[in-house]
Amino acid sequence: MKRLDVALGQRSYPIVIGRGAIGEAGAVVSRSARRAVVVTNAVVAAHHLPALRASLDAAGLAHDVVLLPDGESHKNWATLHDLLTRLLELKVDRTTPIVALGGGVVGDVAGFAAAIYQRGIPCVQVPTTLLAQVDSSVGGKTAVNHPLGKNMIGAFHQPSAVLVDTACLATLPARELAAGLAEVVKYGAIRDAAFFGWLERSMAALLARDDEALSHAIHESCRIKAEIVAADERETGERALLNFGHTFGHAIETATGYGTWLHGEAVGTGMMLAARLSERVCGLEAGARSRVESLVAAAGLPTVPPKLAPDRWLDLMGRDKKVERGRMRFVLLERVGHAVIRADVDEAALASVLAA
Ligand SMILES: NC(=O)c1ccc[n+]([C@@H]2O[C@H](COP(=O)([O-])OP(=O)(O)OC[C@H]3O[C@@H](n4cnc5c(N)ncnc54)[C@H](O)[C@@H]3O)[C@@H](O)[C@H]2O)c1
Ligand SMILES: [Zn+2]
């Protein structure tokens, strides 16, 4: 079992990574509480709830289970409200932690409930998709969607621990695995050329769900995310680097309707477009640009963006919430392993990437 720490002073917390990490839940929760509320959904519960319950039972912890409806379309105010109602009915007090078992949807809703229930209760994240294991469970962003925008209603609330059990990935659909790999590729691209090289050599092992390869990829991804979050918890600067590929990606998601492209799929294609823009505006070498494209393709992610008129792209990207003071900000690569934030991208360069 590997361990990392997210260094945030009093809000610091451990990330435990490895096969069987769910088994740590009982020990983690029993350090500060006598009971827990597990929040999950029926799909995840069928596969992975027994291991979690066994761990809580072994530590002598009473626990209730609340099931949320599955899917991004339920990541909304109504689901949050129902969860808060259940917490009140169960007479959950301020010391009782929520244990969020599931992908990013469960983690974001349960994390947000923990942020606001009685002004805040602890939350232990037990992410079960690769995307949640390398991204959404770490960093404390919690949210639900509003009809007018994704993740528009939320709070920062750091978890008290993150337990990443690689055994959970055995049951994950291949398409979801690939979507998570997009975020893994992102970490290498923005921050760590050696890790990017390792990914190029190890993609086959990752797709074959080799446990050692997955553990290493998750560890390196969480290490990079933890460093960035520790330096800029509330995204006033450096944390925005994590949005590499996301401005184009969000445009793809919005244009095609949420659910048609998975988030990670849109980010994969978005990174290819961002690499092309980087080649035009900040000197990314053609060879480096093609390495990004090849790695996205090797992960089994789509590589052809939907056909949209350049004006439509601009309109969709302009509506992204990462726009500040009317200027579109892009995360671009100067080289593999080094990203920068640029707010001065020339419209003509952008238009030529979109037209191509
Ligand atoms: N908070 C953050 O910082 C952050 C970062 C990135 C993404 N997100 C959010 O995460 C969400 C996407 O998360 P996701 O990609 O995990 O999607 P998801 O939570 O919808 O999970 C995908 C599907 O896989 C199922 N599933 C989960 N674990 C499984 C397993 N081990 N075996 C079989 N099936 C399993 C789920 O029930 C679901 O049907 C989005 O809402 C996004 O906004 C949040
Ligand atoms: Zn993302």
Side-chain angles (χ1 to χ4, degrees), residues 45-116:
H47 295 300
H48 305 295
L49 184 58
L52 178 58
R53 297 191 80 145
S55 173
L56 297 173
D57 283 338
L61 290 159
H63 55 275
D64 297 285
V65 177
V66 180
L67 295 181
L68 305 183
D70 188 18
E72 182 74 30
S73 65
H74 296 286
K75 186 178 143 178
N76 59 24
W77 193 261
T79 302
L80 176 71
H81 180 269
D82 291 348
L83 172 55
L84 294 169
T85 302
R86 283 302 290 144
L87 297 178
L88 287 165
E89 286 170 353
L90 293 167
K91 298 191 169 33
V92 170
D93 70 19
R94 292 189 55 194
T95 65
T96 302
I98 286 180
V99 181
L101 175 73
V105 169
V106 165
D108 277 12
V109 177
F112 189 26
I116 60 176

Side-chain angles (χ1 to χ4, degrees), residues 294-313:
S294 302
L295 193 52
V296 168
L301 291 158
T303 55
V304 181
K307 282 222 181 324
L308 305 172
D311 270 1
R312 175 94 173 112
W313 276 107

Side-chain angles (χ1 to χ4, degrees), residues 113-323:
I116 60 176
Y117 181 78
Q118 295 188 3
R119 301 191 185 81
I121 60 174
C123 182
V124 175
Q125 290 283 350
V126 186
T128 60
T129 63
L130 182 58
L131 183 128
Q133 295 185 340
V134 299
D135 193 356
S136 60
S137 65
V138 174
K141 282 190 184 178
T142 72
V144 295
N145 301 329
H146 185 280
L148 296 180
K150 195 167 140 70
N151 291 330
M152 282 294 150
I153 312 297
F156 281 97
H157 185 60
Q158 297 294 341
S160 47
V162 181
L163 305 177
V164 179
D165 193 333
T166 50
C168 289
L169 299 176
T171 58
L172 195 65
R175 201 178 155 197
E176 298 285 352
L177 185 78
L181 286 170
E183 304 282 0
V184 174
V185 168
K186 175 189 80 179
Y187 291 114
I190 64 169
R191 190 76 164 197
D192 192 327
F195 180 44
F196 193 92
W198 180 87
L199 288 170
E200 291 175 315
R201 296 189 299 278
S202 310
M203 194 47 82
L206 291 166
L207 290 170
R209 305 187 197 214
D210 176 82
D211 199 60
E212 214 171 297
L214 286 169
S215 289
H216 182 71
I218 293 164
H219 182 272
E220 290 304 284
S221 299
C222 288
R223 177 182 62 74
I224 293 167
K225 179 148 189 189
E227 280 171 18
I228 292 175
V229 167
D232 177 22
E233 186 180 8
R234 301 217 160 203
E235 198 168 318
T236 56
E238 190 187 354
R239 187 163 178 173
L241 294 175
L242 296 172
N243 298 326
F244 179 58
H246 282 61
T247 301
F248 291 106
H250 284 152
I252 294 172
E253 287 180 275
T254 309
T256 54
Y258 288 114
T260 313
W261 285 56
L262 296 178
H263 172 73
E265 294 173 334
V267 169
T269 302
M271 289 190 293
M272 297 181 49
L273 295 170
R276 286 180 204 172
L277 186 59
S278 304
E279 193 181 3
R280 283 176 172 75
V281 307
C282 57
L284 184 71
E285 285 177 10
R289 188 256 303 140
S290 83
R291 284 176 69 195
V292 173
E293 294 183 344
S294 302
L295 193 52
V296 168
L301 291 158
T303 55
V304 181
K307 282 222 181 324
L308 305 172
D311 270 1
R312 175 94 173 112
W313 276 107
L314 291 174
D315 179 41
L316 291 165
M317 292 192 293
R319 271 195 269 139
D320 192 281
K321 70 176 186 283
K322 273 108 200 165
V323 175

